[in-house]
Amino acid sequence: HRCRSGLTVGEFDAKVAQESGIKKNKRLQRHTKGAFVFSCPHCVIYGFHVMLRGESPRDPFTVLYTRLNRRDLPLYLIHDNACKMRTYAMRREPAFFADVRFLVDRFHFHHTTAEAHKCGPSYNTDYYDSVRWVNTSAAESCNAFLVNFKTQAWYRSLVAFMIILPNLVSGRNSDLLRVDEPKLRIASRADTWRPAVRQRLLMY
């Protein structure tokens, strides 16, 4: 729909927000669809992207492509839907994302229910030594904190949401332990966590 409209992403989103606000009997559409959070492995929230529509690979793509230069992109980008995000990014801007490795976090990749990922092993973080001990579920921890305020944010206007969320994020970041805390730098699957490994990594 956006491509046929001839509008930019920002113009199209603004139009959607305006039309949603004037529709009657559709009260929930006047509100945001949530926020897409970006964090580091130490659970520090770098920033967020407010979504006016349902979550899709378009959201992280938009932020990375419009906010960062190619040389500033991370070497590894971990996301619960990284396989589809990579496909989206490579169809839109393959040269821009050529050096980025898209990986699925351990929880979602090893999930054994119907939600299990069917993508290939190249998306498995356990295959890369550079991220073997990285906490790949850091964003999920951030989401677990933010979901506590879901009700307050949902029933506020978009303007109020943009005031509430930065305060929550900055308050949470300031309350975190030091990011060089040894325990925060280390994460692995339970079947590989042995007393000898713990002693070697944590030095006690």
Side-chain angles (χ1 to χ4, degrees), residues 21-57:
I22 61 177
K23 287 182 180 178
K24 296 181 179 179
N25 301 322
K26 292 188 177 180
R27 180 169 177 247
L28 295 181
Q29 290 190 11
R30 294 199 300 267
H31 303 277
T32 174
K33 294 295 184 181
F36 193 99
V37 175
F38 292 82
S39 69
C40 73
H42 310 102
C43 300
V44 176
I45 299 177
Y46 284 164
F48 60 88
H49 167 71
V50 175
M51 299 180 293
L52 297 179
R53 292 168 286 179
E55 180 183 342
S56 75

Side-chain angles (χ1 to χ4, degrees), residues 20-183:
S20 298
I22 61 177
K23 287 182 180 178
K24 296 181 179 179
N25 301 322
K26 292 188 177 180
R27 180 169 177 247
L28 295 181
Q29 290 190 11
R30 294 199 300 267
H31 303 277
T32 174
K33 294 295 184 181
F36 193 99
V37 175
F38 292 82
S39 69
C40 73
H42 310 102
C43 300
V44 176
I45 299 177
Y46 284 164
F48 60 88
H49 167 71
V50 175
M51 299 180 293
L52 297 179
R53 292 168 286 179
E55 180 183 342
S56 75
R58 173 190 63 247
D59 298 301
F61 172 87
T62 300
V63 173
L64 295 172
Y65 187 67
T66 59
R67 302 294 197 279
L68 299 177
N69 294 318
R70 180 181 177 183
R71 64 179 178 274
D72 298 325
L73 289 172
L75 295 178
Y76 296 94
L77 200 146
I78 301 173
H79 180 43
D80 58 4
N81 198 16
C83 45
K84 291 185 178 179
M85 181 179 169
R86 179 185 181 277
T87 301
Y88 185 90
M90 289 303 166
R91 286 177 177 173
R92 296 288 302 274
E93 291 294 335
F96 189 81
F97 291 94
D99 298 327
V100 178
R101 175 71 68 179
F102 295 85
L103 303 175
V104 178
D105 62 279
R106 290 186 183 90
F107 174 77
H108 288 91
F109 192 87
H110 296 290
H111 213 266
T112 56
T113 64
E115 298 177 0
H117 277 258
K118 306 300 182 184
C119 46
S122 63
Y123 294 95
N124 187 354
T125 54
D126 293 333
Y127 282 16
Y128 302 91
D129 291 335
S130 300
V131 293
R132 187 176 298 275
W133 304 106
V134 169
N135 177 12
T136 62
S137 297
E140 299 298 333
S141 300
C142 299
N143 289 336
F145 166 78
L146 293 174
V147 77
N148 295 322
F149 305 93
K150 182 177 180 179
T151 303
Q152 293 93 321
W154 181 258
Y155 289 102
R156 298 294 188 276
S157 65
L158 183 59
V159 174
F161 180 77
M162 292 295 292
I163 296 173
I164 294 171
L165 191 56
N167 284 302
L168 289 174
V169 169
S170 60
R172 181 184 181 280
N173 285 344
S174 63
D175 289 340
L176 286 175
L177 298 174
R178 290 173 56 86
V179 295
D180 57 355
E181 182 76 19
K183 294 181 180 179

